Amino acid sequence: MTASPPAAEIRVMLCDDSATARAILARLLESEPGIRVVHRAADGQAALAALAEARPDVVLLDLEMPVMDGMTALPLILKVAPKVAVIVASALTQRGAKAAIAALAAGAVDYIPKPQGAAGGATDPGFRTELVTKVRGWARMKRREGAGVAAAPPAVRPTRPVATARPAILAIGCSTGGPQALGVLLKRLPPLPVPVVVVQHMPAGFTAMLAEHLDRSGAMRCAEAKDGEALLAGRVYLAPGDRHLLVEASRAGLLARVTTDPPENFCRPAVDPMLRSAAQAVKGRVLATILTGMGHDGLDGCRAVIAAGGQVLAQDEASSVVWGMPGAVVRAGLPGWVAPPESLADRIAVIAAERIVA
C-alpha cells in the first residue's frame, strides 16, 4: 500500500490539560495511517497561540481546562480558523452532556465522550473506532467545504414500486454525525401531520440535552420519549440513551414504549427495533429516513418497512460524515430518495402532505 500524499494527511491539534490524556490520544491517532498530531496544547489559550503555525484540520478540544476552558476557546478558534473541525471532549455526566450540546450549538462539529480512567477507557476498541472515524470523517467534510466541491445529484431513485399511502409516522435513524444532520433536517421541516420518532446513537444523559437543543431550534416540539406516552402529530420523540424506543398501536392511537431489551447491532437505542415496531403498529405506513452513521443499524428495519409497504429515504454520501448506515440501505436498493438533509426535509414535507406520492 502506498503512503498517502502530503495533501491527504489529516493534521490534528490536541487541547487538553491532562498530559496523560494528550499522550493517549496522540498514540491512538498516530497509529493510524494518514493522521498526524501537529500540536499538543494544555489549555485554550495555548491552542489559540499555536493555530497559525500548526494549521490543523481537526482540533480535539477538552471543555474543562484551567487558564482558558474549551467553551471560551471554541468561538475564538473558529474565528481564527473557520475551516477547522472542532470536536469537543466531554465527560459522561449530565453536566458534560449539557456542555457538549452547547458546544455543538456554538459551532463544534461533534463530540467524543472522554474515556473513563487514566488509560483503560481509551484503550477500548469502541472508543478508538469512534475517535478515528470522527476525525477522518469531519476532516473530509471540511476539506470538501473548503474546496467548494459540488454537491452530488439531489436524488437517486432505485427501481422499485413506491408506496402510495400517506405515512402515519416519520421514523429517523442516525449515528456518527447525526446531531448535525438531524438538526439541519428538523430545522427545515414544517410541523408535520404525523408524529416523528428518532433514534440517535448516544449515551444516557446526552439525548436529553440533544432533545432540548432540537426543541429550541426546530418548528416542532422535541423531547425524550417516555414509556407509555401518546405519540402526537407534529412532535418529535427522541429515544433516551441506553434505551430502545418502540412504537405500539392502541385504541387511543400510537404509544411510545421505552425498553431495556438487549442491544441490537451493538447499540441501545437501536434503529432496527424502532422501525420494525413502527411498521407493525401502523401497518406499513412508515416513512423511514436514515442519516449519517457508522455500521448498518437500520438496514433490517428498512427492509421490514419496505416489505410492509412503507417508504425509505437516505442521506447521500457527499453530505454524510460516515456513509455506513445510509450506504447500507442504498446498496440494498431500498430508498426511493437519496439526498442531503435539506433536500430530504423538503421531500418529507411533500410526502407527509400528499395522500398519493408519484
Side-chain angles (χ1 to χ4, degrees):
M1 180 181 293
T2 58
S4 300
E9 181 182 70
I10 298 172
R11 300 170 61 85
V12 180
M13 173 184 284
L14 303 177
C15 183
D16 195 304
D17 61 316
S18 166
T20 301
R22 296 195 301 270
I24 292 169
L25 292 172
R27 185 170 68 249
L28 291 177
L29 290 170
E30 292 194 322
S31 68
E32 293 289 323
I35 298 179
R36 182 159 71 96
V37 175
V38 294
H39 190 79
R40 308 182 195 188
D43 58 73
Q45 190 173 86
L48 281 166
L51 271 178
E53 183 177 352
R55 297 179 291 108
D57 300 298
V58 178
V59 174
L60 291 178
L61 181 66
D62 188 19
L63 291 178
E64 296 186 7
M65 296 179 291
V67 184
M68 181 184 289
D69 62 35
M71 284 302 296
T72 302
L74 174 60
L76 300 176
I77 290 172
L78 293 177
K79 184 177 180 180
V80 173
K83 295 179 181 179
V84 74
V86 179
I87 301 173
V88 297
S90 174
L92 285 172
T93 63
Q94 185 173 2
R95 178 181 173 185
K98 186 175 183 178
I101 300 303
L104 294 182
V109 296
D110 216 324
Y111 77 96
I112 54 168
K114 294 194 73 170
Q116 302 299 300
T123 57
D124 172 35
F127 173 79
R128 177 175 182 162
T129 298
E130 181 177 4
L131 172 68
V132 172
T133 299
K134 288 183 175 181
V135 166
R136 289 192 186 281
W138 283 112
R140 176 180 57 82
M141 294 290 288
K142 286 294 183 177
R143 284 177 173 175
R144 288 183 64 91
E145 291 175 10
V149 176
V156 176
R157 291 174 173 274
T159 304
R160 61 168 181 77
V162 178
T164 57
R166 187 174 67 185
I169 192 168
L170 169 62
I172 302 171
C174 42
S175 183
T176 309
Q180 293 282 17
L182 188 60
V184 169
L185 186 143
L186 292 179
K187 187 174 183 179
R188 192 174 178 97
L189 276 177
L192 298 178
V194 298
V196 181
V197 288
V198 180
V199 165
Q200 161 69 50
H201 296 163
M202 260 186 168
F206 280 67
T207 46
M209 298 300 109
L210 177 61
E212 287 186 14
H213 170 65
L214 295 173
D215 186 60
R216 291 190 297 267
S217 60
M220 291 183 283
R221 300 301 308 270
C222 179
E224 273 192 326
K226 296 180 175 61
D227 187 52
E229 74 174 318
L231 298 176
L232 304 178
R235 295 200 177 188
V236 181
Y237 302 87
L238 193 65
D242 198 33
R243 297 290 186 273
H244 290 307
L245 172 59
L246 309 179
V247 180
E248 182 180 283
S250 74
R251 291 183 179 180
L254 298 178
L255 302 178
R257 287 299 175 195
V258 176
T259 80
T260 56
D261 292 343
E264 293 193 28
N265 306 308
F266 307 101
C267 301
R268 189 170 66 194
V271 181
D272 279 337
M274 176 189 69
L275 292 179
R276 290 195 306 266
S277 67
Q280 182 176 2
V282 299
K283 296 180 172 56
R285 293 171 56 202
V286 179
L287 178 56
T289 301
I290 306 299
L291 302 177
T292 175
M294 285 190 292
H296 57 79
D297 187 26
L299 174 58
D300 289 345
C302 284
R303 286 184 172 130
V305 167
I306 293 296
Q311 301 182 64
V312 173
L313 310 179
Q315 187 170 352
D316 67 334
E317 184 173 9
S319 68
S320 296
V321 177
V322 183
W323 207 53
M325 289 165 54
V329 298
V330 170
R331 286 189 291 271
L334 302 178
W337 197 267
V338 181
E342 299 91 339
S343 298
L344 290 177
D346 295 341
R347 187 62 182 168
I348 288 167
V350 169
I351 293 172
E354 293 182 354
R355 288 196 175 276
I356 298 179
V357 180

